[in-house]
Amino acid sequence: MDSLQLAHFVASAILAHRAETVRPMLPSPRAATESLPGTLAGPLTLTMSYLDEAEGEPPCCLHLTCYAAAGHARFDRLSEISGLRVTDHLAVILECSAAGYTREAVNLLVAHREALDLLWDTLNDLGSHYAHTVEAVRVSLSGRGLVHEAPAPRLARFERPDHRVPGLGGVLAGVLRGR
């Protein structure tokens, strides 16, 4: 497993499971991040440190198509290639990357880069520690372009989906700021 796959594996584990589920497994991801470049390891380590004491679930709205008016054709294509049931959930795409379908998964993430950036912006604005993990994913895509893919549709201009943010209680929603 190369460093990109390893970073995506750790990020997927963090984003897919409740804090209580991930906590007993944290020694393994922590050990794995030691071999990663600091730009990837740092944000992942920040989230794992938070999970040492946290309760609850990761943010509920990690579906990339919630942020863009996009179809599911690209996700269906990755499902066909990998033999896995691929949805638009960020953790699922990262898991595909870790499983060896890295090029296809990275292409999908790059195609939805604006949605990923908006997700990070939302989590960061809300003070969620999960923003650090999304930041590591964003860093992992730096300098990577699409290979034989059309660009993803522009982001839809509507209210952001609701986010449940551990530690802040309840459901919070934000409205897109003008860009």
Side-chain angles (χ1 to χ4, degrees), residues 36-122:
L36 295 175
T39 56
L40 292 174
L44 293 171
T45 301
L46 286 171
T47 305
M48 286 188 280
S49 294
Y50 163 74
L51 292 174
D52 283 332
E53 304 297 325
E55 298 293 327
E57 299 181 26
C60 68
C61 200
L62 296 173
H63 296 274
L64 296 179
T65 58
C66 288
Y67 299 90
H72 289 271
R74 291 179 179 182
F75 301 99
D76 293 342
R77 188 166 64 234
L78 182 54
S79 292
E80 291 172 17
I81 292 168
S82 68
L84 304 169
R85 186 179 178 286
V86 179
T87 68
D88 65 332
H89 194 280
L90 179 57
V92 172
I93 299 165
L94 294 170
E95 194 172 311
C96 284
S97 174
Y101 303 97
T102 310
R103 180 179 172 195
E104 295 84 2
V106 166
N107 277 342
L108 196 51
L109 290 169
V110 170
H112 289 84
R113 179 60 193 245
E114 286 185 347
L116 191 62
D117 290 345
L118 182 59
L119 171 61
W120 174 82
D121 188 48
T122 301

Side-chain angles (χ1 to χ4, degrees), residues 1-70:
M1 189 177 279
D2 67 24
S3 62
L4 178 63
Q5 291 172 309
L6 186 57
H8 286 177
F9 174 76
V10 172
S12 176
I14 290 169
L15 294 172
H17 302 288
R18 297 178 58 85
E20 300 83 26
T21 303
V22 174
R23 190 173 302 116
M25 298 183 285
L26 286 177
S28 295
R30 276 198 174 99
T33 58
E34 290 176 8
S35 67
L36 295 175
T39 56
L40 292 174
L44 293 171
T45 301
L46 286 171
T47 305
M48 286 188 280
S49 294
Y50 163 74
L51 292 174
D52 283 332
E53 304 297 325
E55 298 293 327
E57 299 181 26
C60 68
C61 200
L62 296 173
H63 296 274
L64 296 179
T65 58
C66 288
Y67 299 90

Side-chain angles (χ1 to χ4, degrees), residues 119-137:
L119 171 61
W120 174 82
D121 188 48
T122 301
L123 294 173
N124 191 52
D125 285 352
L126 295 172
S128 171
H129 293 276
Y130 290 96
H132 301 300
T133 297
V134 176
E135 175 62 17
V137 173

